Amino acid sequence: MRSGVPRLAPLRGRRGGPGVREAGGGCAMKSVLFSRFFILLPWILIVIIMLDVDTRKPAPPLTPRPYFSPYMAGRGGARLPLRKGGPESGPGRSSQKSNESGPHPPPQPEPPLPTIYAITPTYSRPVQKAELTRLANTFRQVAQLHWILVEDAAARSELVSRFLARAGLPSTHLHVPTPRRYKRPGLPRATEQRNAGLTWLRQRHQHQRAQPGVLFFADDDNTYSLELFQEMRTTRKVSVWPVGLVGGRRYERPLVENGKVVGWYTGWRADRPFAIDMAGFAVSLQVILSNPKAVFKRHGSQPGMQESDFLKQITTVEELEPKASNCTKVLVWHTRTEKVNLANEPKYHLDTVKIEV
């Protein structure tokens, strides 16, 4: 009986067979993935190391690459490269570059600098050359200035002629004597000399178109700031400013309100129409030419009234142009050289050489 009954496999083997085969397949897949991972791992590390090393290297300088403008043409229609980032590039320059091949409008010329004509009366005296030397040293620093030097003499003196020849300034040397009857104390001085300068100026521009200019009466016994010439150069008609050390005061000046002259701060005759010193005003050249009869008067002019009598012929107080910060800065001084003491000078020349002083 036992021999005829078939034997059954153990229940453990029947239950575990398929499970064992399934588990064995999963282990095989994992082993394959792990083996491939470990094979690729060194290469991954090498790539990471190379990338890290490359990022630590300094970046090479960027070389600007040329580009071609469609508006620039060379010979045969070839395009010319333009460099980016060059000195001609930048905001607002692309249009300038693009139009270089086309016609350009001519550049607008700058307006000419107005010429300052300085009329200086002078006369022979021991300090004459010293006064003119100081004045020339100032004028040499002023651009576009023409010096009209008028001697009170019947002929040009050698001293003044030599002085002007060495001064290195654009100049005109005139002479006219003051009549003896007008050389009395209390009478106006330098009237004929200033009028001679006005006559020369009008004759010079009589047959030609007058360029912008300004007339200024520069006495040789004054001291001038260079700033004064910058102020007067913009004169449209008649400009005014303060003068120092004049009229028995530290200064005299026009009184200004709201940019207009309304009166005068002066120590002598404030009732004058123009209570101003000869060094305190400048006149446009066009005004001088437009008023050919405007001169300094001898007849009917009271002492100290020459400025007023002259200005009344060409302007009004309301038209005056205040300069020097609304007439609050002194830029010219009526200094006058001290009268020299020549008590020990011999009557006859005793030195072996003759020296010009």
Side-chain angles (χ1 to χ4, degrees):
M1 289 294 295
R2 285 183 184 179
S3 60
V5 179
R7 296 183 179 180
L8 298 175
L11 183 59
R12 181 179 56 192
R14 186 178 292 181
R15 290 179 180 176
V20 171
R21 286 196 299 270
E22 185 178 353
C27 290
M29 288 295 292
K30 289 181 180 179
S31 62
V32 171
L33 291 176
F34 278 116
S35 62
R36 291 182 179 177
F37 173 76
F38 284 110
I39 292 173
L40 296 174
L41 181 61
W43 296 102
I44 295 174
L45 294 176
I46 292 173
V47 172
I48 293 174
I49 293 172
M50 291 179 65
L51 291 174
D52 183 64
V53 172
D54 187 67
T55 55
R56 294 183 182 181
K57 290 182 180 180
L62 295 177
T63 304
R65 299 177 61 187
Y67 71 98
F68 295 91
S69 169
Y71 304 101
M72 294 289 292
R75 293 184 179 179
R79 294 183 298 175
L80 303 177
L82 301 176
R83 302 283 297 185
K84 284 185 177 180
E88 299 298 328
S89 63
R93 303 232 177 158
S94 58
S95 59
Q96 177 182 352
K97 276 290 184 181
S98 62
N99 293 330
E100 284 186 359
S101 59
H104 289 280
Q108 295 295 330
E110 294 185 1
L113 192 67
T115 301
I116 295 177
Y117 294 94
I119 296 180
T120 301
T122 187
Y123 63 99
S124 178
R125 60 199 191 277
V127 298
Q128 182 183 26
K129 188 176 181 180
E131 302 272 34
L132 294 178
T133 298
R134 182 181 66 245
L135 196 53
N137 289 339
T138 300
F139 286 169
R140 269 192 289 267
Q141 302 178 67
V142 181
Q144 200 67 20
L145 183 140
H146 189 104
W147 194 7
I148 306 171
L149 192 57
V150 189
E151 285 194 78
D152 184 356
R156 299 175 183 174
S157 68
E158 293 185 5
L159 184 149
V160 176
S161 297
R162 284 194 296 266
F163 174 82
L164 276 181
R166 300 171 182 173
L169 282 164
S171 61
T172 298
H173 188 186
L174 306 175
H175 65 91
V176 58
T178 300
R180 185 178 297 273
R181 64 183 180 275
Y182 295 130
K183 288 190 175 183
R184 299 194 305 268
L187 293 182
R189 295 182 299 174
T191 300
E192 288 73 22
Q193 289 72 40
R194 294 189 181 102
N195 286 337
L198 290 171
T199 300
W200 177 88
L201 201 57
R202 289 171 175 136
Q203 290 177 350
R204 171 174 178 149
H205 297 281
Q206 183 178 4
H207 301 295
Q208 61 181 356
R209 183 179 179 183
Q211 299 295 322
V214 179
L215 171 63
F216 173 55
F217 296 101
D219 290 351
D220 60 3
D221 58 352
N222 292 343
T223 302
Y224 304 93
S225 167
L226 295 179
E227 187 179 350
L228 177 64
F229 301 96
Q230 299 176 8
E231 294 278 337
M232 73 171 69
R233 205 182 292 273
T234 58
T235 300
R236 296 186 300 272
K237 191 171 183 180
V238 178
S239 58
V240 292
W241 51 80
V243 179
L245 308 178
V246 67
R249 291 191 174 185
R250 293 174 57 245
Y251 62 88
E252 291 183 342
R253 75 180 187 95
L255 300 176
V256 179
E257 291 182 4
N258 300 321
K260 295 291 183 179
V261 175
V262 296
W264 310 94
Y265 177 82
T266 179
W268 183 78
R269 291 203 57 178
D271 60 331
R272 289 174 289 166
F274 296 87
I276 194 171
D277 187 76
M278 193 70 68
F281 66 92
V283 185
S284 166
L285 176 60
Q286 191 59 48
V287 171
I288 295 296
L289 300 179
S290 301
N291 297 272
K293 295 184 179 181
V295 295
F296 290 93
K297 298 179 179 179
R298 275 290 185 188
H299 302 286
S301 180
Q302 301 177 13
M305 297 291 291
Q306 276 204 315
E307 297 88 348
S308 290
D309 290 341
F310 177 74
L311 291 174
K312 281 192 303 183
Q313 302 173 67
I314 59 177
T315 190
T316 63
V317 174
E318 292 76 19
E319 293 177 321
L320 296 177
E321 306 160 35
K323 300 293 185 181
S325 300
N326 275 334
C327 296
T328 59
K329 294 171 63 177
V330 174
L331 302 175
V332 54
W333 298 262
H334 203 45
T335 45
R336 294 190 182 93
T337 301
E338 181 182 4
K339 187 176 181 180
V340 295
N341 181 7
L342 300 178
N344 295 325
E345 182 71 14
K347 184 176 181 180
Y348 301 100
H349 186 73
L350 300 180
D351 198 356
T352 56
V353 296
K354 186 177 180 180
I355 297 178
E356 182 181 274
V357 180

